[in-house]
Amino acid sequence: MGTVLKYLAVPLCFPLVVALYYGESVLPFVVTMAVTVLVGTGLERLADEPDIGAREGFLMVAVTWLAVTIVGAIPFLIEAHGIPFIAAPVHPESTLGNPVNALFETMSGFTTTGATVLGDISFNSHTRGIMMWRQLTQWLGGMGIVVLAVAILPELSVGGAQLMDAEAPGPGIEKLTPRIAETARALWGAYLGLTVLEIVLLYGLHVTGNAPNMDVYNAIAHGLTTMPTGGFSPEARSIEAFSAAAQWVIIPFMVAAGTNFALFWHVLTGDPKRLFRDTEFKSYLGVIGVVSAILAGILFLGDGLMSVAPAGETYDQLYLEGIRTAIIGNVEPAVRQSVFQVVSIVTTTGYASIDFNAWSAPAQYALLFAMFIGGSGGSTGGAVKIVRWYVIVKSLRRELFTTAHPEAVRPVRLAGRAVDERAIRGIYAFTLLYLVLFFVSTGLLHLDAARIGFDVSILETMSAVAATLGNVGPGFGVAGPMGSYLDFSNGSKLYMVVLMWVGRLEILPVLVIFTPEYWRR
């Protein structure tokens, strides 16, 4: 843990350079770099040679994510409060001056959730350096902080398999090379390459005049949060602030981010057909296609949009009439908005090309359903994951078959290989825990909202829980794509911090360390 914290100072150099370029205070980053190096070095000196087994892997990954989040919140706090007797606050009005809000925003960043408590998303309330650090937290958390450490730090290659298995999204990680550190480097190489390609294409739109406000800052900022399926944007209106061309460019990168990154490795090493032979990938594209087609149809016909803007919403009647005029009866806007939002929600990116609070209840419930699907295993997406749903459906079909034919032996197969029965039980256990946690958390947050007189509907509460547990980001209503989680109580926000942490590490690696059996020899 000390090693990871110590080297967290390296990525902090990037927002520091951004702050220098724009003539802003670098103190938030210099202080954080000093803290992370000192704390990390101190923790390193407490340790003997690492001997990381499965149990140590779970503990190291779970606690490291908490530690990185706490350290990562320091720049936000310094910007809001300054340092007594040394520096005055830069933006004392920042909502991130509240330590709970700073922790929420940082956990949302590193877990690639994209839920925000910023009251004002603009450079009037935050420096460009701080906003770039906010974007960078998502890029670091996307493929995994510990996976990155395994890839570049030799001292963590011992036990690297256990660390990657505990952190990687999905039921398991495919070992692509003989050495686990090489596998980590291959995954991060694909991740970095796609990020750079997207930045170049987005900035190319700016140069050619197809996206005038997609300047180099915005191109980098959105490149850093698309591939990790993060969703943070320095624009208050998210991707709605940009042209249709920019939205079309971002869509395939969100799809790529929700794909198992091991498939890209196979494509680059001379096996491109592997991509379209992969059962999970075909199921993933199929789900996106079907849900997008349904939503495009109801948006095109006008049934998917509100007719009158209710009081207190995040949009007004003028906005509603504008999008109704643009979408109803027009193929391209209806298809683009439905595909963009379905891909964004299924992959748990959380970008918004429209304020979908203005959509009708059936359209919103379709998006709520999409929040539980998730991307592929081994991708940067959150939620349950396509591969788990596929195995569940196949195993249920197997149960129906063996009920009629009790003596039959019929294994569940994935990509032509039989799935281990222990893995199937693990998938059922994860999915059950996920759903139980969702319903219990919905009840707790709704009760807490009632306690403080915060008027939210059950759909809004359900979407807030689904969005934080599944690392999706935006929900509906006050927590919608153009809103924030700011009005929830500090207690609810701390609870959602835990949901984001548990959801990113896929529940079991975190919960197991709280069981008595874990601590017994």
Side-chain angles (χ1 to χ4, degrees):
M1 190 173 83
T3 303
V4 175
L5 281 177
K6 183 175 72 175
Y7 285 100
L8 184 64
V10 176
L12 278 159
C13 293
F14 181 57
L16 186 148
V17 170
V18 172
L20 282 173
Y21 179 81
Y22 287 102
E24 300 166 348
S25 172
V26 298
L27 194 63
F29 308 112
V30 172
V31 171
T32 307
M33 290 165 74
V35 169
T36 193
V37 168
L38 288 172
V39 172
T41 303
L43 288 172
E44 272 187 327
R45 290 182 178 178
L46 294 174
D48 299 321
E49 287 298 312
D51 181 18
I52 301 174
R55 291 197 300 173
E56 291 81 7
F58 289 138
L59 184 62
M60 187 266 186
V61 167
V63 178
T64 296
W65 274 75
L66 274 182
V68 166
T69 297
I70 292 167
V71 171
I74 294 175
F76 298 132
L77 293 170
I78 292 177
E79 182 194 42
H81 295 291
I83 299 177
F85 311 111
I86 298 176
V90 179
H91 284 293
E93 73 282 5
S94 169
T95 56
L96 301 186
N98 177 345
V100 172
N101 288 345
L103 193 66
F104 184 101
E105 198 76 13
T106 314
M107 183 63 85
S108 180
F110 280 117
T111 58
T112 73
T113 302
T116 186
V117 286
L118 291 185
D120 178 22
I121 303 178
S122 74
F123 298 127
N124 295 323
S125 300
H126 304 280
T127 65
R128 289 178 180 268
I130 286 291
M131 293 294 276
M132 189 59 78
W133 169 239
R134 178 174 176 258
Q135 303 297 108
L136 186 60
T137 58
Q138 295 205 317
W139 194 77
L140 292 171
M143 189 54 67
I145 300 163
V146 177
V147 173
L148 176 60
V150 170
I152 62 176
L153 302 177
E155 56 266 46
L156 286 183
S157 60
V158 178
Q162 285 82 6
L163 297 176
M164 286 179 65
D165 192 55
E167 184 185 54
I173 191 161
E174 181 181 350
K175 192 175 181 182
L176 305 174
T177 59
R179 296 184 177 182
I180 197 68
E182 292 176 2
T183 297
R185 282 193 286 272
L187 294 172
W188 265 90
Y191 184 61
L192 176 61
L194 287 168
T195 300
V196 172
L197 177 61
E198 184 188 8
I199 291 170
V200 170
L201 292 177
L202 287 176
Y203 186 61
L205 291 177
H206 172 76
V207 172
T208 57
N210 291 305
N213 53 345
M214 187 60 79
D215 55 20
V216 67
Y217 184 95
N218 269 324
I220 293 172
H222 291 91
L224 291 176
T225 56
T226 303
M227 288 315 301
T229 64
F232 274 163
S233 172
E235 296 288 340
R237 302 297 299 182
S238 189
I239 308 301
E240 189 185 38
F242 301 101
S243 65
Q247 292 170 16
W248 279 119
V249 166
I250 288 171
I251 287 171
F253 285 97
M254 289 193 293
V255 173
T259 302
N260 188 334
F261 273 72
L263 292 177
F264 297 128
W265 185 86
H266 289 296
V267 170
L268 293 172
T269 52
D271 188 12
K273 293 181 180 179
R274 175 72 175 267
L275 191 66
F276 296 101
R277 289 199 309 266
D278 187 80
T279 306
E280 183 187 18
F281 182 67
K282 290 188 289 187
S283 302
Y284 167 61
L285 292 184
V287 168
I288 288 174
V290 169
V291 180
S292 296
I294 293 170
L295 272 177
I298 62 176
L299 288 178
F300 179 81
L301 297 173
D303 297 331
L305 296 168
M306 295 281 192
S307 300
V308 179
E313 268 294 353
T314 53
Y315 61 93
D316 56 22
Q317 189 64 31
L318 189 63
Y319 175 84
L320 181 57
E321 290 171 1
I323 62 172
R324 286 180 63 86
T325 302
I327 293 175
I328 296 175
N330 296 310
V331 175
E332 190 277 336
V335 171
R336 172 167 45 86
Q337 297 293 358
S338 61
V339 171
F340 190 99
Q341 285 312 145
V342 168
V343 171
S344 177
I345 297 299
V346 167
T347 62
T348 71
T349 304
Y351 281 149
S353 59
I354 192 172
D355 188 348
F356 49 74
N357 274 339
W359 290 11
S360 64
Q364 289 186 1
Y365 278 111
L367 288 183
L368 183 65
F369 163 76
M371 288 182 184
F372 288 87
I373 298 171
S376 304
S379 72
T380 59
V384 176
K385 304 285 189 306
I386 290 284
V387 66
R388 288 194 178 97
W389 290 120
Y390 183 83
V391 170
I392 288 171
V393 171
K394 293 271 285 188
S395 65
L396 288 174
R397 286 178 60 189
R398 193 257 307 265
E399 290 303 313
L400 292 174
F401 181 83
T402 54
T403 299
H405 306 281
E407 295 181 4
V409 177
R410 189 176 186 177
V412 173
R413 295 188 179 275
L414 183 63
R417 292 178 296 181
V419 180
D420 184 72
E421 293 299 319
R422 183 180 174 186
I424 295 174
R425 288 196 300 273
I427 286 171
Y428 272 105
F430 171 86
T431 308
L432 179 62
L433 273 173
Y434 192 96
L435 295 175
V436 168
L437 196 53
F438 166 74
F439 286 112
V440 170
S441 300
T442 298
L444 290 175
L445 287 192
H446 205 68
L447 286 172
D448 188 60
R451 178 184 64 83
I452 63 170
F454 181 33
D455 185 21
V456 287
S457 68
I458 191 66
L459 175 61
E460 289 174 291
T461 312
M462 290 170 69
S463 69
V465 173
T468 48
L469 178 60
N471 305 133
V472 177
F476 302 122
V478 292
M482 310 307 174
S484 81
Y485 290 71
L486 185 61
D487 292 332
F488 283 93
S489 71
N490 281 342
S492 285
K493 282 182 281 192
L494 282 173
Y495 186 78
M496 285 187 276
V497 166
V498 174
L499 288 181
M500 290 187 276
W501 174 50
V502 169
R504 174 58 181 83
L505 298 181
E506 307 229 307
I507 303 177
L508 292 173
V510 177
L511 294 190
V512 72
I513 66 176
F514 293 103
T515 61
E517 290 77 13
Y518 175 85
W519 299 98
R520 291 176 186 151
R521 293 182 64 83

